[in-house]
Amino acid sequence: MPLRFLTAGDSHGDALVGIIEGLPAGIPIPIRDIQRDLKRRRKTYGRSGRQRIETDPVEIVSGMWRGRTTGAPVGIRILNLGKAPGGKRGGAPGTVPRPGHADLAGCLKYGLDDIQPIAERASARSTAMRVAIGAVAKGVLKRFSVEILSHVRSIGDIDADPDTSSLDRLMSRVARSQLYCADAAAERKMIGLIKTAWKEGHTLGGSIEVIASGVPPGLGSHAHWDRKLDARLAGALMSIQTVKAVEIGAGLETYKKRGIESQDAIVLYRGKIKRPTNYAGGIEGGISNGENIVIRSYAKPIATAPKQAPTIDMSTLESRESPYVRSDVCVIPALGVIAEAVVAWELLCAILEKFGGDHIEETQANFIAYVKSIGKRTKR
Ligand code: EPS
């Protein structure tokens, strides 16, 4: 049975709940690693007042024995400190769907005349649990020397132009940035743009890049469409609220080029295979090729804003302005942290599919044997 997870919980309900099923036994899960990523998701410039209420207290409630996984489902709970009885509006029916949200389509689909249950579950609050689950995956990936980082590429119409030649340098710049952006000059402009958007009642979209280093060649498969690693990563990233496009490697540049200009040459250097460029973003034919996996997500501005698009009241069919309480101005830095978690999860699924094992030592032994066998193929 493959690794899988489920989440439950509403934005203003008691808690978010997650279950990870299929983790091998023997894995420690340090709660501080989960808390660190939850804090990174929460604390960035441009978020709403809700983030001053939430501290994301997280607990692991099952699947551990003496500090390590047992092979049983791992249950995770994060309390909602911003919970409200009957939802945010205290149980009053919401009949005015907000354009850009799941409200209208959800009410039509589920036969509801109140948007509250749809809005509660569709809320990006649920990404706190995605981040917690992804932090568990990241911890396991470290055992296979896979590291995952992200940085902000753009906010609104301001593009960053960071130096990505050294991942260590990139990360130290990101760590010093309020927006997780490695280009300080662009960040200053982005902060100015967020301040203006705040004053004018708008929200802002943007893009982030996730880089996974140390990924072994051979994850995913060319053999069938639903085993392709790029398809899985893209689908998983598209499931994050507000994401409207995903790009792998130089996907948005190479489609304009001639074939020869968009391929990554294969060369042998000191007995090792090298790829001088990485247009493919580390995936060829649906299989990881051993280069860094580079993937970008593009998100629209969040739909809730003081300035709203016209809508109707579902109960009277009259034209209306949708109701507004509060909103984030820009969630793009948080999107980077969420996307890291989503990429980590998909890579861990692919690793466990390839190397199997009910105890993590068995998985690691299979991994080491495979890496050795690959090493032999490039020796003359
Ligand atoms: C969200 C609306 C806002 C965000 C929320 C997602 O919440 P509220 O309706 O309470 O103002 O703050 O995001 C989070 C709570 C979070 O932790 O990310 C929405 O409608 O998607």
Side-chain angles (χ1 to χ4, degrees), residues 11-12 41 47-48 50-51 88 98 101 123-125 127 326 328:
S11 181
H12 303 90
R41 189 196 75 100
R47 301 224 55 194
S48 88
R50 175 79 188 271
Q51 299 310 318
K88 192 164 49 166
R98 300 159 302 167
H101 280 278
S123 165
R125 174 76 192 136
T127 60
R326 66 182 165 199
D328 300 290

Side-chain angles (χ1 to χ4, degrees), residues 224-246:
H224 203 250
W225 68 270
D226 54 358
R227 294 169 62 194
K228 289 179 183 250
L229 187 62
D230 41 6
R232 288 183 173 192
L233 287 167
L237 287 167
M238 286 296 287
S239 77
I240 304 171
Q241 288 86 342
T242 75
V243 170
K244 283 295 188 187
V246 175

Side-chain angles (χ1 to χ4, degrees), residues 35-291:
Q35 281 163 340
R36 189 185 65 104
D37 272 358
L38 287 171
K39 189 171 174 188
R40 287 174 64 227
R41 189 196 75 100
R42 212 166 55 227
K43 296 253 166 191
T44 51
Y45 190 79
R47 301 224 55 194
S48 88
R50 175 79 188 271
Q51 299 310 318
R52 289 193 289 276
I53 301 170
E54 299 300 342
T55 56
D56 295 334
V58 60
E59 278 178 283
I60 295 185
V61 297
S62 68
M64 306 286 288
W65 179 252
R66 295 181 178 150
R68 288 180 184 257
T69 53
T70 60
V74 172
I76 304 176
R77 185 171 58 186
I78 302 173
L79 294 180
N80 283 331
L81 303 186
K83 75 174 183 176
K88 192 164 49 166
R89 288 169 305 100
T95 54
V96 182
R98 300 159 302 167
H101 280 278
D103 301 353
L104 176 62
C107 281
L108 296 176
K109 178 176 169 68
Y110 290 98
L112 297 170
D113 52 16
D114 189 329
I115 65 168
Q116 191 81 3
I118 302 294
E120 281 292 318
R121 181 63 188 151
S123 165
R125 174 76 192 136
S126 64
T127 60
M129 185 51 76
R130 298 285 294 270
V131 166
I133 289 171
V136 174
K138 278 184 188 173
V140 186
L141 288 175
K142 283 203 175 102
R143 295 170 165 256
F144 300 89
S145 307
V146 177
E147 296 279 348
I148 297 182
L149 59 90
S150 74
H151 62 110
V152 166
R153 295 278 322 187
S154 67
I155 287 182
D157 58 0
I158 297 172
D159 291 318
D161 185 17
D163 172 6
T164 53
S165 58
S166 150
L167 294 187
D168 285 344
R169 214 166 36 233
L170 182 75
M171 276 339 283
S172 69
R173 289 196 177 133
V174 167
R176 290 197 298 272
S177 158
Q178 291 187 76
L179 294 179
Y180 307 150
C181 175
D183 175 345
E187 186 192 31
R188 280 193 291 279
K189 290 187 199 154
M190 288 168 179
I191 287 178
L193 191 68
I194 293 172
K195 280 185 181 152
T196 310
W198 185 272
K199 274 191 219 131
E200 293 178 351
H202 292 298
T203 55
L204 293 164
S207 62
I208 59 89
E209 180 171 85
V210 177
I211 303 174
S213 60
V215 180
L219 302 186
S221 175
H222 69 292
H224 203 250
W225 68 270
D226 54 358
R227 294 169 62 194
K228 289 179 183 250
L229 187 62
D230 41 6
R232 288 183 173 192
L233 287 167
L237 287 167
M238 286 296 287
S239 77
I240 304 171
Q241 288 86 342
T242 75
V243 170
K244 283 295 188 187
V246 175
E247 174 190 20
I248 298 183
L252 289 179
E253 282 170 34
T254 49
Y255 82 96
K256 297 180 206 152
K257 294 191 174 171
R258 293 178 191 176
I260 189 77
E261 296 163 350
S262 57
Q263 312 310 339
D264 303 304
I266 302 172
V267 295
L268 210 58
Y269 179 71
R270 293 190 177 163
K272 285 201 171 141
I273 290 174
K274 291 271 173 203
R275 315 300 295 268
T277 56
N278 188 16
Y279 301 127
I283 304 175
E284 288 171 304
I287 311 174
S288 61
N289 65 6
E291 298 299 306

Side-chain angles (χ1 to χ4, degrees), residues 4-26:
R4 57 200 165 134
F5 76 88
L6 279 175
T7 72
D10 296 320
S11 181
H12 303 90
D14 288 336
L16 302 171
V17 177
I19 298 176
I20 304 176
E21 207 280 314
L23 269 184

